[in-house]
Amino acid sequence: MKYTNRRQSLGSQFSRTLFVIPSGELRMRSHSVAYRFKVASDFLYLCGVEVAEAYLVVAGEKSYFLSDHIGAASALWEDVNSLMSEDLEKLFNIEFAAVSKLQDILQDHLRDFDRLAFPVGRSEWLDRTLLEQVSFQNRRRSRFTSIPLALCDSRTLVGRLRHKKEADEIDLMRMAAQKSSAVYQELFQKNLLGASERDVANFLESEFMKQGMHWTAYETIVGSGERGTTLHARATERILRSGETVLIDAAGEWQGYCADITRVLPVGKSFSKEQKTIYEIVLKAQKEVLKKIRPGETLASLHETAQQFLLQGLKEAGITGEISELMPHSTSHWIGMDVHDPSAYVDESGNAVKLSEGMSFTVEPGLYFRDKSSAYYGIGVRIEDDVVVTDQGCEILSSASKEVEEIENLRSKLELN
Ligand SMILES: [Mn+2]
């Protein structure tokens, strides 16, 4: 019912728009082996099925599921595009057709719509097919309407529906964040001396899997030493050194929902004085932002709060620098089925979206010292948690330790040489 309801609200909220939502195609990773298939989030959101090369058409109250593999019993070689029996329950109330029927279905319905929405530019085949259809429709359309058939991007519109999370979505997001947080607790108690960034990434990813998660929510970021000042440092073979910190931005995906967590920890047992100074400034700013979250605020106002407290902390510590250089990224982004959920940041009048119950996003202020003349050169700190807006404030979904004392306590139990 959940998926039927979502398709119905899409159809009724955008009653003049016909949607074509592809599940995605397999892409080759090497000569004969494809990348692991990741279904398009909009498709998963609207039908709950993880198959490749399928298309969902939502035409008002009527929906179609297009696939060339319906009824393909047990596949001998590959089953990535075959429907399982549990999928059929999710596709209740939907009409099945072969992919070759797409043009016919569009011809039957498009005359009742003013817009055709699909993820423009995602698939060459779909782009070409739908453009041909628009061209065809517009040639004969003038016989019954003066409104041209317009094309638009489906992601923006489905993103509006996905913006406020339903209760069961919040449960899944909480699980993703909690399981990912548990992995951080393991990491805090791990001896990292002599390990490479790659070792750390491998450890985190295998722990996500041990938590039952199917995948990482995004490519694991591990930046040790001055590489912590690169915002998205890929894990390399660089060996972690005593006295350095390591910035880790990693999380898993739970049943299609993402977490996004960043922590910075000392490679040894404790932070240096300079590292601790910066860490505390960022932590204070992050906590002030978390306190401020409630319906009616905007991500822009939260970003201002973060900058204000970072600046205040820097000033108190006697550190100078441009905030736009020290923190070159935003404080928040939407999160959900995608780690950067595609919902808009401004409303139709161009004003910042006001937070309301069920919206979920990250809070991740940071400071990165890339100027070699600074006494703080090479220190990179970002502290990131995931939240969902409640009626009065927010629920913080992730719970990995972030107090200096807590982290140093966990690190102090290590048997280091
Ligand atoms: Mn993030």
Side-chain angles (χ1 to χ4, degrees):
M1 272 314 273
K2 172 166 85 178
Y3 301 107
T4 311
N5 289 343
R6 287 176 184 169
R7 288 192 297 273
Q8 273 171 359
S9 25
L10 186 73
S12 61
Q13 200 169 326
F14 304 104
S15 60
R16 305 298 301 159
T17 308
L18 184 146
F19 290 84
V20 179
I21 312 284
S23 69
E25 288 149 28
L26 285 174
R27 305 244 163 161
M28 297 316 281
R29 181 171 190 274
S30 62
H31 177 58
S32 59
V33 180
Y35 280 105
R36 188 166 171 181
F37 178 67
K38 161 93 174 147
V39 71
S41 303
D42 283 347
F43 185 90
L44 186 62
Y45 180 79
L46 291 167
C47 73
V49 174
E50 294 182 71
V51 292
E53 292 163 16
Y55 300 85
L56 194 61
V57 176
V58 179
E61 288 178 4
K62 183 117 178 104
S63 294
Y64 297 87
F65 188 93
L66 276 57
S67 159
D68 291 337
H69 303 271
I70 297 159
S74 61
L76 173 61
W77 285 83
E78 307 278 357
D79 62 0
V80 70
N81 18 34
S82 311
L83 290 173
M84 306 289 169
S85 55
E86 58 266 32
D87 294 335
L88 298 174
E89 287 168 28
K90 293 174 186 160
L91 296 175
F92 169 75
N93 227 344
I94 203 164
E95 197 169 317
F96 293 100
V99 176
S100 58
K101 291 284 174 210
L102 179 59
Q103 297 280 27
D104 293 347
I105 291 170
L106 293 177
Q107 275 186 33
D108 286 349
H109 287 281
L110 268 176
R111 117 179 235 149
D112 303 325
F113 294 87
D114 299 332
R115 291 198 298 190
L116 172 60
F118 70 104
V120 180
R122 197 178 155 121
S123 141
E124 272 180 38
W125 177 79
L126 194 61
D127 286 355
R128 199 170 55 244
T129 305
L130 298 186
L131 275 176
E132 275 168 21
Q133 187 60 228
V134 170
S135 171
F136 170 80
Q137 290 284 337
N138 277 330
R139 284 200 299 275
R140 66 173 199 178
R141 198 170 167 85
S142 54
R143 305 236 169 243
F144 58 87
T145 175
S146 58
I147 303 171
L149 178 64
L151 275 179
C152 74
D153 201 291
S154 56
R155 287 165 286 204
T156 312
L157 303 184
V158 182
R160 286 194 209 161
L161 245 73
R162 283 171 52 188
H163 208 163
K164 286 190 194 182
K165 272 63 184 175
E166 299 156 7
D168 63 337
E169 294 185 281
I170 295 169
D171 288 344
L172 296 174
M173 294 202 61
R174 193 183 293 113
M175 284 294 272
Q178 287 298 312
K179 285 169 174 285
S180 303
S181 299
V183 172
Y184 273 92
Q185 297 309 110
E186 293 295 322
L187 177 77
F188 288 141
Q189 298 170 66
K190 198 171 159 59
N191 183 359
L192 299 175
L193 284 175
S196 68
E197 292 175 345
R198 167 63 50 206
D199 291 333
V200 175
N202 286 347
F203 169 78
L204 290 164
E205 291 174 6
S206 66
E207 290 295 316
F208 293 144
M209 305 300 150
K210 278 190 207 160
Q211 290 283 336
M213 294 195 274
H214 291 182
W215 212 320
T216 59
Y218 49 96
E219 190 165 351
T220 300
I221 292 166
V222 182
S224 60
E226 64 195 38
R227 282 178 33 80
T229 65
T230 293
L231 302 181
H232 291 168
R234 276 174 296 131
T236 66
E237 301 307 323
R238 186 183 185 281
I239 303 291
L240 279 56
R241 297 183 203 131
S242 176
E244 292 177 345
T245 54
V246 56
L247 182 150
I248 287 151
D249 187 342
E253 187 182 295
W254 177 253
Q255 295 186 14
Y257 286 81
C258 295
D260 186 1
I261 302 174
T262 307
R263 288 293 185 267
V264 171
L265 65 151
V267 173
K269 292 186 178 182
S270 52
F271 291 99
S272 72
K273 186 169 159 285
E274 290 77 15
Q275 291 162 354
K276 190 171 158 180
T277 299
I278 304 306
Y279 189 95
E280 294 283 21
I281 295 170
V282 176
L283 183 59
K284 161 90 174 155
Q286 203 235 16
K287 288 195 207 163
E288 291 295 334
V289 173
L290 291 170
K291 270 197 261 174
K292 207 182 160 195
I293 298 169
R294 57 180 56 82
E297 287 289 341
T298 65
L299 294 187
S301 67
L302 298 180
H303 183 59
E304 276 171 32
T305 302
Q307 287 189 323
Q308 176 199 331
F309 280 93
L310 290 173
L311 276 171
Q312 187 186 311
L314 289 166
K315 197 173 161 208
E316 283 167 10
I319 306 169
T320 52
E322 282 292 316
I323 193 67
S324 58
E325 278 172 29
L326 292 173
M327 182 182 163
H329 57 77
S330 312
T331 302
S332 302
H333 56 80
W334 308 122
I335 185 171
M337 294 181 109
D338 287 294
V339 70
H340 293 175
D341 236 20
S343 304
Y345 291 84
V346 289
D347 62 20
E348 280 171 307
S349 350
N351 298 317
V353 166
K354 285 203 163 52
L355 297 180
S356 64
E357 217 177 326
M359 290 182 180
S360 58
F361 57 92
T362 63
V363 177
E364 49 178 312
L367 286 174
Y368 312 88
F369 289 84
R370 298 173 66 85
D371 176 1
K372 286 196 169 149
S373 64
S374 164
Y376 296 86
Y377 170 72
I379 298 177
V381 174
R382 174 164 73 250
I383 303 172
E384 175 177 36
D385 283 302
D386 307 330
V387 304
V388 58
V389 181
T390 58
D391 58 344
Q392 311 251 334
C394 75
E395 177 186 344
I396 306 172
L397 301 170
S398 41
S399 61
S401 295
K402 59 184 173 184
E403 297 296 333
V404 166
E405 202 186 325
E406 241 178 302
I407 293 174
E408 288 188 341
N409 271 341
L410 289 166
R411 303 295 295 146
S412 71
K413 291 178 194 143
L414 301 175
E415 300 273 332
L416 301 182
N417 298 322

